[in-house]
Amino acid sequence: MTETRPTFSELTAAFTRIGLLSLGGPAAQIALMHKICVEEKRWIDEDRYLHALNYCMLLPGPEAQQLATYIGWLLHGLRGGIVAGLLFVLPGLAVILGLSSLYALYQDTGMVTGLFFGLKAAVLAIVIEALIRIGKRALKSGFHRWIATIAFVALFVFSLPFPLVVLSAAIIGLAHARIRPGTGMEIATPVGRGPAFSRQLGIGLVWIAIWLAPLPLLWLFLPETALPELQAFFSRMALVTFGGAYAVLAYVAQVAVEQYQWLRPGEMLDGLALAETTPGPLVLVLSYVGFLAGFRESGPFDPLLIGLLGGLLTAWATFIPSFLFIFAGAPYVERLRGNRQVSAALSAITAAVVGVILNLALWFALHVIFKAVAEVEFARLGPLAAALPVPDWSTLDVEALLIAIMAAILLFRFHQGVGRTLLVAALLGLAMHALI
């Protein structure tokens, strides 16, 4: 595939679109970027997209936002990475802060849930399309198909930690390449010398300073509010959120409710429901936590103002490290495209990612099409439990299923674009919600 480099305005327009349409969690967001940047625009080729995705999958934090930043950096350097990474987050952040305000004041967001009903159902078709396309490219041998299958079973059935699955895939891929030379991934583009270490170290230190800059100001000027503790707590969280949002939400919910008492029991589930129905990374639910914390511990200041600052600070602490990881590390990762053994390990990660996306897609599909899904354990070996999500068939959401089928027909049969498909789905969702 021939790559075409976009102008900066074209990049900005595309990631504005991606930011507005990025519903459905990381699988859907990775699928959306693949469709727009690789298939529609042809800005980067498949190998380079998968190489970037592999690196982002190894990092703590929101992998989809890191991938957006990486793609922007590839196409337009530092400013491209900043714009792509910010536009991926800002629409969803604005929505979640608005919904958090409504929730804090009225605790009623039913109409908003209805507004995004059709969009969530349509995202299923986008995820399936991406899964098929990435799978065709990544699963190029029986070895890679086995890796994908094992990764899927490890996550879907045994709920093993995501970093363990990805790291194991890399080790197995490297070992396979050593045992059978010549099985590494072919490198399409020669890669030159890497950047100077001192330069990358300087970039890393600048982004660390930006990341932590609000902390002393908060302790100095707003110590009676929840803001200093929010910045400190979520800065620590940003370094351990391996495996996406679900890996850390349970811990954050426990600490926010029991230790800090920022939220009441059950309110984290309400926040998760809001984040599931809005654009952007699912970890934006943390901004909902930050908003409620600031709103309820505002000191002598206006609760709504401190709540908004709390939501913004939480997003700052959560997402700024993504820019640090990409701008400091991506130049070295690009250089590794020329190393065949590393490429073999990364191609195994790509295969495992197919299993990861399948796991996320099935989880997402079950929770969109059914209103009640229970985890049923059927075997246990010491600490390792085997369980499957089992839907309650009496809670089948026929309207969501019909919209998902319609979206699949538009994409697969009539080859419509993502924007048009989601627009039709949104209109159908609004109509169904009004009738019901």
Side-chain angles (χ1 to χ4, degrees):
M1 183 186 78
T2 303
E3 294 183 1
T4 58
R5 190 172 185 270
T7 64
F8 188 71
S9 61
E10 288 173 336
L11 177 76
T12 302
F15 274 94
T16 300
R17 177 185 170 201
I18 289 170
L20 292 169
L21 299 179
S22 58
L23 295 111
Q29 292 153 3
I30 290 167
L32 180 65
M33 279 187 281
H34 181 272
K35 185 168 185 63
I36 291 175
C37 297
V38 178
E39 298 171 36
E40 292 183 5
K41 305 292 187 182
R42 298 181 181 272
W43 288 341
I44 59 174
D45 64 27
E46 190 91 30
D47 284 342
R48 211 164 193 188
Y49 179 88
L50 294 176
H51 189 84
L53 177 58
N54 291 336
Y55 173 58
C56 296
M57 284 286 184
L58 292 173
L59 298 173
E63 62 269 24
Q65 189 243 353
Q66 291 161 352
L67 179 60
T69 305
Y70 198 124
I71 292 172
W73 172 79
L74 280 177
L75 297 173
H76 272 283
L78 179 66
R79 67 171 184 163
I82 292 174
V83 165
L86 287 178
L87 288 175
F88 188 82
V89 171
L90 288 180
L93 178 60
V95 172
I96 202 72
L97 290 178
L99 295 180
S100 298
S101 302
L102 291 174
Y103 184 87
L105 295 172
Y106 308 110
Q107 299 223 340
D108 181 11
T109 57
M111 285 300 294
V112 176
T113 302
L115 179 65
F116 291 101
F117 172 74
L119 293 173
K120 286 184 65 179
V123 161
L124 282 178
I126 297 172
V127 173
I128 292 169
E129 184 187 40
L131 181 65
I132 292 171
R133 290 184 178 275
I134 293 176
K136 284 181 179 178
R137 178 65 183 175
L139 308 182
K140 47 188 174 288
S141 69
F143 169 73
H144 292 99
R145 287 188 285 273
W146 271 109
I147 290 283
T149 302
I150 293 169
F152 169 73
V153 172
L155 292 165
F156 192 74
V157 178
F158 295 100
S159 299
L160 291 180
F162 172 82
L164 177 63
V165 173
V166 172
L167 182 60
S168 298
I171 293 171
I172 292 170
L174 183 59
H176 184 254
R178 288 180 178 274
I179 295 169
R180 298 183 60 185
T183 58
M185 189 169 69
E186 291 298 319
I187 305 302
T189 308
V191 180
R193 294 181 60 186
F197 175 76
S198 58
R199 179 177 182 274
Q200 296 310 113
L201 179 62
I203 290 173
L205 292 175
V206 167
W207 281 99
I208 290 173
I210 293 171
W211 177 32
L212 299 178
L215 198 54
L217 298 176
L218 295 173
W219 284 112
L220 186 61
F221 295 110
L222 296 168
E224 58 271 76
T225 69
L227 299 185
E229 287 182 324
L230 278 173
Q231 170 78 13
F233 175 68
F234 284 107
S235 293
R236 294 195 300 271
M237 285 298 95
L239 299 178
V240 297
T241 52
F242 289 97
Y246 293 108
V248 76
L249 289 184
Y251 175 72
V252 170
Q254 182 181 10
V255 173
V257 172
E258 296 179 7
Q259 181 177 334
Y260 291 108
Q261 297 182 338
W262 291 329
L263 277 71
R264 291 186 282 270
E267 287 186 331
M268 192 69 181
L269 291 177
D270 293 339
L272 185 57
L274 295 183
E276 288 275 16
T277 58
T278 57
L282 189 58
V283 290
L284 280 173
V285 69
L286 300 181
S287 287
Y288 159 87
V289 176
F291 180 95
L292 288 184
F295 185 86
R296 289 170 178 166
E297 296 185 18
S298 58
F301 304 99
D302 177 65
L304 198 58
L305 173 62
I306 301 302
L308 289 170
L309 285 176
L312 290 170
L313 272 173
T314 302
W316 182 279
T318 301
F319 292 108
I320 291 297
S322 295
F323 295 104
L324 163 65
F325 296 141
I326 298 304
F327 296 140
Y332 295 110
V333 174
E334 280 296 292
R335 188 168 181 242
L336 289 176
R337 293 173 64 234
N339 185 305
R340 293 189 179 276
Q341 288 193 346
V342 171
S343 296
L346 292 178
S347 69
I349 294 176
T350 303
V353 165
V354 175
V356 171
I357 295 176
L358 177 58
N359 169 62
L360 293 171
L362 280 177
W363 188 95
F364 181 57
L366 287 171
H367 285 78
V368 167
I369 296 175
F370 296 94
K371 296 177 182 177
V373 181
E375 287 285 330
V376 177
E377 183 178 319
F378 62 88
R380 176 172 286 275
L381 181 62
L384 191 63
L388 287 174
V390 178
D392 181 348
W393 286 88
S394 65
T395 66
L396 175 67
D397 193 331
V398 177
E399 292 82 9
L401 180 60
L402 289 175
I403 293 176
I405 293 171
M406 179 279 305
I409 293 171
L410 287 176
L411 285 170
F412 288 98
R413 177 66 180 84
F414 296 104
H415 306 291
Q416 297 299 305
V418 171
R420 184 173 297 177
T421 300
L422 289 178
L423 176 61
V424 172
L427 293 175
L428 280 175
L430 285 172
M432 288 181 176
H433 186 265
L435 291 174
I436 295 172

